[in-house]
Amino acid sequence: MKAALCTRFNAPLEITELMLAPPRRGEVEVTLAACAICHSDLHFIEGAWGGALPAVYGHEAAGFVSALGEGGSAYRIGQRVLVTLIRACGTCACCSDGRPMLCETAGTAASPLSLPDGTPVTQGMNTAGFAEKVVVDSSQLAPLPEDIPLDVAALLACGVITGVGAVFNTAAMPAGASAVVIGTGGVGLNTIQGARIAGARRIIALDVAPEKLHAAREFGATDGVLATAPDARAQVLALTGGRGAEYVFVTVGAVMAYEQALGLTAPGGTIIMAGMTGNEDYMRLNPMMVAYQEQRLIGSKMGGTVLRRDIPRLIDLYRQGRLRLDELISNRYPLARINEAIADTAKGGTRRNVIVFDSFGQGAP
Ligand SMILES: [Zn+2]
Ligand SMILES: [Zn+2]
């Protein structure tokens, strides 16, 4: 099968022929219809998060089940499924606590990928979705109904659940709250629409790009503030009765954004840390101020998502037009043009670029 292989950090991916082992017990092979490009893929390709090469990245995918491991599965051949990086054993302490994204024992299975000469290839983020097929653990899948296009559905695998889940699950934000969302990329726009659906009374978007603040309003932001404006903090305070926001979501992996968040949070307020920085990044904070104002800082990984609970919820909201997904797609590219798509994503102005495979037009193989 064809895949986009990373052989060197910070270099174009090579479209090449790879071997994919058949699914083992508990695993499923999925022929992909679509895989979106996420900023996490860029971080890996740039080498910011390390990892062994050669590797295949890509982790926001959807497609059709094309083979099942021994012992059967809850899935059937031809079924439409979402493919995510959330691999969970179902029995460790975190899985038992309903937090599969923190599974303590998953992720140790050998990669199903290799070069034709037998050289092992890393399965990036447990998925390796920049390829015509993937073999993943069945815990990474969620069933998809017939009425959602697979390129649109692919977005549910990461950016949407990370953003909406930060509001619904991590923050459990009550209706009527005030919210600031720092960063209006893929995750940020989904945090904004999550806050709208959750009934926030005010949603203030911050970004360094003025044109993105306009898009933020389309997704539900009530106000836009240029993050680099010298009076950015004063503007947020003016919009929140001088208090700051009760919930401040950081959706970009930038230390500056985290440090800015501290000054925008109301007494007793909560900062939700969803943006993933580089391995060596640290922020400065004044512990006395956090303690004195009883603020909370909460990490949010994959929006605290439980696939079987959250994906049906999101699809229902999409069907009603309350969760906007089609509008999140900037462009579609064939696998052969993935480097173009990645370069476009790296420029920062796009929402989601999606790689669309042959099976997208053809239906179940
Ligand atoms: Zn992602
Ligand atoms: Zn587990």
Side-chain angles (χ1 to χ4, degrees):
M1 64 151 191
K2 280 202 170 40
L5 189 67
C6 181
T7 56
R8 206 155 44 85
F9 290 131
N10 256 322
L13 304 179
E14 294 171 20
I15 308 298
T16 184
E17 212 44 56
L18 288 188
M19 311 307 288
L20 182 68
R24 294 163 294 194
R25 182 175 287 273
E27 292 179 339
V28 177
E29 180 194 272
V30 180
T31 298
L32 295 188
C35 184
I37 297 170
C38 173
H39 279 273
S40 300
D41 296 312
L42 267 59
H43 287 315
F44 272 108
I45 291 166
E46 289 161 2
W49 289 342
L53 295 179
V56 176
Y57 302 115
H59 61 278
E60 292 197 23
F64 304 93
V65 171
S66 48
L68 299 169
E70 193 195 326
S73 159
Y75 296 93
R76 55 177 170 73
I77 302 291
Q79 186 170 356
R80 295 154 56 94
V81 287
L82 182 69
V83 182
T84 77
L85 59 75
I86 306 172
R87 181 180 291 176
C89 73
T91 55
C92 72
C94 282
C95 282
S96 303
D97 192 36
R99 307 175 84 177
M101 80 299 301
L102 300 180
C103 179
E104 294 163 48
T105 62
T108 52
S111 170
L113 296 166
S114 57
L115 299 179
D117 69 3
T119 307
V121 172
T122 302
Q123 184 181 37
M125 284 170 274
N126 293 335
T127 310
F130 295 151
E132 291 172 322
K133 292 180 180 188
V134 297
V135 167
V136 296
D137 190 82
S138 61
S139 63
Q140 295 175 245
L141 306 180
L144 291 172
E146 295 292 328
D147 61 344
I148 181 166
L150 291 176
D151 54 350
V152 172
L155 306 183
L156 292 170
C158 175
V160 176
I161 57 178
T162 300
V164 178
V167 179
F168 287 16
N169 300 327
T170 310
M173 191 179 76
S178 57
V180 159
V181 179
I182 303 181
T184 60
V187 174
L189 290 178
N190 284 299
T191 304
I192 288 167
Q193 63 176 340
R196 167 174 50 76
I197 295 165
R201 74 172 183 275
R202 195 175 277 276
I203 305 167
I204 305 163
L206 264 76
D207 204 286
V208 295
E211 67 279 7
K212 287 166 81 178
L213 295 176
H214 181 73
R217 286 175 194 267
E218 288 172 33
F219 280 77
T222 56
D223 304 274
V225 170
L226 195 61
T228 49
D231 66 340
R233 177 164 186 266
Q235 287 187 56
V236 171
L237 292 179
L239 291 164
T240 52
R243 302 181 63 235
E246 288 149 2
Y247 291 84
V248 177
F249 297 86
V250 181
T251 70
V252 287
V255 169
M256 212 167 48
Y258 279 105
E259 292 181 345
Q260 186 168 33
L262 292 164
L264 307 179
T265 309
T270 303
I271 296 175
I272 294 88
M273 307 172 70
M276 301 287 181
T277 60
N279 284 343
E280 301 301 324
D281 288 336
Y282 294 88
M283 70 183 283
R284 280 166 55 88
L285 70 78
N286 180 328
M288 192 277 288
M289 286 306 288
V290 174
Y292 188 74
Q293 302 200 70
E294 243 185 50
Q295 291 165 331
R296 296 185 299 158
L297 286 82
I298 315 178
S300 183
K301 181 182 179 187
M302 303 300 294
T305 296
V306 176
L307 292 172
R308 293 283 179 152
R309 178 192 64 198
D310 294 334
I311 299 302
R313 275 184 193 171
L314 295 173
I315 290 173
D316 205 15
L317 289 165
Y318 169 70
R319 283 177 175 143
Q320 298 167 41
R322 296 163 73 193
L323 184 74
R324 304 176 74 167
L325 297 180
D326 299 78
E327 296 85 347
L328 287 170
I329 297 183
S330 302
N331 284 299
R332 295 167 178 81
Y333 296 83
L335 184 65
R337 289 173 54 206
I338 188 169
N339 288 306
E340 242 177 277
I342 287 171
D344 187 61
T345 299
K347 277 192 293 182
T350 49
R351 296 175 185 180
R352 274 293 193 265
N353 284 325
V354 182
I355 303 300
V356 175
F357 298 91
D358 290 347
S359 82
F360 180 69
Q362 295 162 4

